[in-house]
C-alpha cells in the first residue's frame, strides 16, 4: 500500500514528450511505498485573476490532486531558456486565490530533459525561483540536467543502462526528501 502519493507535473503537452517519458521512467525507480499521479494541466484555461472566486472545475481538480499528495515531482523541458507557459499557467492557477495555494509546504523535486546540451538547466533554475516563493521545500541536490540521446530509454519505457544508476540515485534522494518533509 502506497504511503506517499506524489503529484507529477510534466511541463510538456506533447504526446511523444521526452519529459513525459522521463517522468514515467523515474516512477519505475521509486520505492514500493510511493505512488504517482500524473496531473493533467493541458485542459486548464489561461489564468485570469477575475476567475479566482469561481475557479474552473479543471483548476479545482488540479488543486485537489496536489492537496492529496505528499510531494510534487516537476519534470520540465526548457522553452526559450525558461519554463513552458503551460507549466507557469498551472503554477499560477494552483497558487490562488491568495492565501489558498495548494503548493505551500509540499516537498518538491525538479528534473528535466532537453535535446539541447544544457539539459533544461535554465528552465529548472527559473522553476526553482518560483518554488521558493511558493514555499515548497525543494531538493537541491542532486541536480539532473538530462540531455536526450539515443539509449536514454529502453523499448519498454524503462531508463536505459547509461543513465539508470544516476537516475536511481536521484530518485532515492527524492524519496528520502519527501519522507523527511511529508
Ligand atoms: C525548445 N527547445 C529548447 N531546448 C533547449 O535546450 N533550450 C531552449 O531554450 C529550448 N527552447 C525551445 C522552445 C520551444 C518553443 C520549443 C518547442 C522547443 C527544444 C526542446 O528541448 C525539445 O523540443 C524537447 O523535445 C521538448 O521537450 P519534450 O516535449 O520532448 O518533453
Amino acid at each position: 500500500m502506497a504511503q506517499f502519493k506524489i503529484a507529477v507535473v510534466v511541463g510538456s503537452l506533447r504526446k511523444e514528450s521526452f519529459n513525459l517519458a522521463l517522468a514515467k521512467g523515474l516512477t519505475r525507480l521509486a520505492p514500493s511505498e510511493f505512488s504517482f499521479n500524473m496531473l493533467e494541466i493541458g485542459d486548464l484555461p489561461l489564468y485570469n485573476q477575475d476567475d479566482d472566486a469561481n475557479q474552473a472545475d479543471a483548476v479545482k481538480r488540479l488543486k485537489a490532486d496536489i492537496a492529496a499528495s505528499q510531494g510534487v515531482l516537476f519534470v520540465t523541458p526548457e522553452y526559450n531558456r525558461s519554463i513552458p507557459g503551460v507549466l507557469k499557467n498551472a503554477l499560477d492557477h494552483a497558487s490562488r486565490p491568495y492565501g489558498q495555494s495548494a503548493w505551500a509546504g509540499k516537498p518538491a523535486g525538479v528534473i528535466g530533459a532537453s535535446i539541447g546540451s544544457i539539459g533544461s538547466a535554465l528552465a529548472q533554475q527559473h522553476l526553482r525561483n518560483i518554488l521558493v516563493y511558493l514555499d515548497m521545500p525543494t531538493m537541491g541536490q542532486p541536480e539532473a540536467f538530462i540531455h536526450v540521446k539515443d539509449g536514454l530509454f529502453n523499448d519498454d519505457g524503462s531508463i536505459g543502462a547509461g543513465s539508470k544508476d544516476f537516475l536511481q540515485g536521484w530518485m532515492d534522494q527524492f524519496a528520502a526528501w519527501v519522507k523527511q518533509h511529508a
Side-chain angles (χ1 to χ4, degrees):
M1 180 65 185
Q3 298 170 35
F4 299 97
K5 283 181 275 179
I6 304 300
V8 183
V9 184
V10 176
S12 171
L13 304 182
R14 201 166 73 85
K15 285 194 199 71
E16 301 297 321
S17 163
F18 294 121
N19 285 277
L20 176 60
L22 176 60
K24 289 179 175 171
L26 278 170
T27 65
R28 297 163 70 145
L29 303 177
S32 58
E33 72 264 41
F34 278 68
S35 66
F36 294 85
N37 181 19
M38 314 292 280
L39 302 192
E40 174 68 64
I41 62 170
D43 63 348
L44 297 171
L46 285 178
Y47 177 77
N48 179 340
Q49 195 179 355
D50 289 341
D51 301 331
D52 272 8
N54 185 24
Q55 290 184 311
D57 286 346
V59 179
K60 289 181 183 154
R61 181 204 65 220
L62 175 73
K63 293 187 73 174
D65 284 346
I66 297 163
S69 73
Q70 280 75 50
V72 184
L73 171 59
F74 292 95
V75 187
T76 187
E78 180 171 295
Y79 280 3
N80 298 313
R81 296 288 182 253
S82 188
I83 62 171
V86 291
L87 176 54
K88 185 63 163 60
N89 192 50
L91 288 161
D92 291 342
H93 270 301
S95 74
R96 290 279 155 161
Y98 182 78
Q100 295 175 42
S101 170
W103 304 111
K106 300 286 180 187
V110 173
I111 192 168
S114 161
I115 56 173
S117 58
I118 61 168
S120 77
L122 286 168
Q124 291 188 45
Q125 208 57 42
H126 282 189
L127 177 57
R128 285 177 182 279
N129 252 20
I130 296 165
L131 302 188
V132 168
Y133 179 71
L134 292 175
D135 202 19
M136 301 182 79
T138 303
M139 184 171 78
Q141 295 292 340
E143 296 175 306
F145 309 130
I146 307 301
H147 185 190
V148 177
K149 288 184 179 161
D150 285 348
L152 176 59
F153 305 107
N154 296 319
D155 289 345
D156 67 356
S158 58
I159 304 293
S163 302
K164 177 133 188 245
D165 286 354
F166 173 72
L167 288 174
Q168 182 68 64
W170 191 93
M171 179 49 84
D172 291 348
Q173 289 295 316
F174 177 64
W177 184 259
V178 170
K179 285 182 180 178
Q180 191 184 328
H181 291 89

